[in-house]
Amino acid sequence: MTTLNEKLNILREELKNRKARIMIIGLGSVGNYLLDYLMSARDEEVEICVVGRNGIKMQSDVNIVRVASMIRGQNRSRVTVIDGVDLNHVSDIESAIRAYGPDIIVNSSRAYSGLKYGSISWKNIRAYGIWTPLSIKYTKNIMEAYEQVGSKAIVINTSYSDAVIPWLKSAGKAYPDFGSGNINHLIPRFQFAIAEKMGVDDYWNIDITFAVAHFHDVVISKEGQTEGVDMLMDVRYKGQKVNVDVNAIAAGCCIPMPVDAKRNMMNASSNFEIIQAILTAVRDHKKVKLHCPGVFGEIGGYPIVIDGSQELVEAAICEDYFDLDTMRRKNRESIYLDGIENVADGVLTYTDELLEKVRKAFGVDLVKNIAFSEIDQVAEFIVKEIIDKNAG
């Protein structure tokens, strides 16, 4: 598989002569928000393609975004639709990727649409890792198609990348380059809370470097506490280090938010942030820092720097404040609380605590170890025995 740094440099060369091509796979609420944000960027050097099964619905969604962005004077990007693509069929995805030749692919699809999995899991078992087989179901098909086509696109995954991307990598499969969401949803909350403690209004000048997995995105956001796990966090205000009481700051992060599809504004914004970081580094020769889950196939979430200021673009996990081994340990502490004991050699291992919680809450016995070849079977079991019986 072509490395991320190789892809970034291929993209730099390609964009010297043409527009960037972005493909959004799945036009649900995340995809629709992302399309709107991309159109709002007024970027004449970007083309967009949306991919999915229902062409009539997708074209209708595209039309309203195009018209609305035109009213705002922002519409500068051409949008095309590729329909009839069933994500259960790798050959359908292959055809779409081959036909469009994207530079950046965003997977915003969901195996079970219209449901926030956390609405079932948090109140019952306080762990999200149970859903990993569902989160990876379409991602693995997309990456198989990607590999068959020989694509060099940079891939962004939307669903539970903390474990999904490492699972693909550990199985020796092609895997997405970036994960969106989770860790970077906490950064603005921290900025707001720290600015309030400091008594400053320019919260955008507060720079945070942070490493943690998905569980702490949820527990800090919902409960304003860290479940007794010390956080790795470096805080700078206008370049100067600021010492903060992380527990006190976490308490200020518990702010009300909707629990319906409007929450996907954050995930779409995460995708937008990654796309903008890639384009800024590649086209404008700048250095950009962001936070992503699953990057480089690592378990959990990490700060990453894309440095386009040199002759060759280079992306790497930022170790300016914390070394990689320390960040890995912290992420494993966090993801363990989410019900994931390990991801290695193509096998995802649930924690014993999660298995017991699931047994008590849903009367269901999950297998402890899930081989890569068993993903579809286990995903179907989870839908039938847990989601269908507890949703709504």
Side-chain angles (χ1 to χ4, degrees):
M1 179 178 168
T2 308
T3 68
L4 172 56
N5 286 332
E6 289 170 337
K7 293 177 190 178
L8 288 166
N9 285 287
I10 290 169
L11 182 58
R12 170 171 279 180
E13 289 302 310
E14 288 289 318
L15 297 190
K16 289 178 180 178
N17 303 305
R18 62 170 176 80
K19 297 180 179 182
R21 296 191 288 259
I22 300 171
M23 173 179 280
I24 303 173
I25 299 180
L27 202 60
S29 58
V30 172
N32 266 292
Y33 281 128
L34 176 59
L35 178 61
D36 189 30
Y37 301 156
L38 289 171
M39 297 292 278
S40 295
R42 301 183 64 177
D43 192 337
E44 296 181 31
E45 296 304 312
V46 164
E47 296 178 348
I48 305 165
C49 173
V50 298
V51 174
R53 185 185 299 180
N54 190 331
I56 294 174
K57 178 185 180 300
M58 286 193 298
Q59 189 62 63
S60 177
D61 287 344
V62 167
N63 288 343
I64 195 168
V65 171
R66 291 177 68 236
V67 170
S69 62
M70 196 68 174
I71 292 170
R72 301 191 303 268
Q74 297 172 327
N75 188 331
R76 298 290 187 275
S77 301
R78 180 171 177 264
V79 184
T80 60
V81 173
I82 298 180
D83 65 355
V85 177
D86 185 338
L87 298 183
N88 290 298
H89 300 148
V90 173
S91 59
D92 286 4
I93 309 168
E94 284 183 33
S95 297
I97 295 174
R98 187 176 288 111
Y100 190 67
D103 300 303
I104 299 173
I105 297 173
V106 180
N107 169 30
S108 65
S109 65
R110 291 176 65 83
Y112 196 103
S113 61
L115 173 72
K116 296 293 289 183
Y117 301 146
S119 65
I120 297 176
S121 58
W122 190 254
K123 64 185 178 182
N124 289 297
I125 58 176
R126 297 182 83 249
Y128 194 91
I130 181 179
W131 311 117
T132 315
L134 276 172
S135 297
I136 199 174
K137 181 177 169 65
Y138 285 160
T139 309
K140 69 179 178 60
N141 290 353
I142 290 168
M143 295 313 300
E144 182 179 343
Y146 172 97
E147 194 166 38
Q148 291 294 332
V149 171
S151 176
K152 299 295 189 294
I154 296 166
V155 184
I156 305 168
N157 183 61
T158 296
S159 185
Y160 204 54
S161 296
D162 305 68
V164 164
I165 298 178
W167 200 353
L168 283 159
K169 183 179 181 180
S170 77
K173 308 294 184 181
Y175 55 91
D177 302 284
F178 294 94
S180 73
N182 303 351
I183 182 173
N184 82 330
H185 293 176
L186 279 176
I187 303 300
R189 292 174 183 265
F190 283 127
Q191 288 173 311
F192 294 146
I194 292 168
E196 184 173 345
K197 289 284 186 184
M198 292 177 60
V200 300
D201 294 325
D202 55 339
Y203 41 82
W204 52 88
N205 282 322
I206 297 172
D207 181 64
I208 294 172
T209 306
F210 191 51
V212 76
H214 176 270
F215 177 84
H216 280 91
D217 166 36
V218 181
V219 78
I220 292 173
S221 300
K222 285 184 174 293
E223 300 178 5
Q225 54 97 10
T226 64
E227 204 78 358
V229 175
D230 293 334
M231 297 288 98
L232 292 177
M233 185 190 301
D234 182 90
V235 180
R236 310 272 162 154
Y237 177 62
K238 295 183 178 180
Q240 298 299 310
K241 184 171 177 59
V242 178
N243 294 315
V244 298
D245 180 339
V246 176
N247 289 324
I249 296 304
C253 291
C254 185
I255 56 178
M257 283 197 174
V259 296
D260 59 11
K262 289 191 287 294
R263 286 185 60 85
N264 287 329
M265 292 176 68
M266 294 190 297
N267 211 324
S269 296
S270 301
N271 284 296
F272 179 79
E273 178 192 35
I274 297 167
I275 292 169
Q276 291 301 102
I278 293 167
L279 295 179
T280 297
V282 167
R283 298 189 306 193
D284 302 336
H285 296 259
K286 293 183 178 179
K287 186 175 181 178
V288 186
K289 186 182 77 176
L290 63 161
H291 289 78
C292 294
V295 67
F296 295 110
E298 294 283 349
I299 294 172
Y302 298 80
I304 179 173
V305 171
I306 309 176
D307 188 356
S309 64
Q310 307 297 320
E311 182 179 355
L312 293 177
V313 189
E314 184 176 3
I317 292 175
C318 176
E319 295 188 72
D320 291 349
Y321 310 109
F322 314 107
D323 65 82
L324 183 56
D325 286 341
T326 300
M327 290 189 281
R328 283 171 170 162
R329 286 195 298 272
K330 189 58 59 179
N331 272 292
R332 284 185 175 272
E333 288 181 46
S334 180
I335 206 165
Y336 189 94
L337 294 171
D338 229 6
I340 304 295
E341 182 176 306
N342 200 11
V343 183
D345 301 321
V347 177
L348 179 131
T349 302
Y350 287 136
T351 65
D352 291 336
E353 291 89 338
L354 176 67
L355 298 179
E356 182 60 24
K357 288 177 182 177
V358 170
R359 190 176 297 114
K360 288 181 177 178
F362 305 123
V364 170
D365 288 311
L366 289 176
V367 294
K368 182 173 177 64
N369 300 297
I370 307 171
F372 194 84
S373 60
E374 299 169 334
I375 287 171
D376 289 343
Q377 176 187 342
V378 175
E380 183 179 346
F381 177 84
I382 289 172
V383 169
K384 181 180 177 181
E385 297 299 328
I386 298 178
I387 292 181
D388 287 347
K389 294 180 179 180
N390 294 278

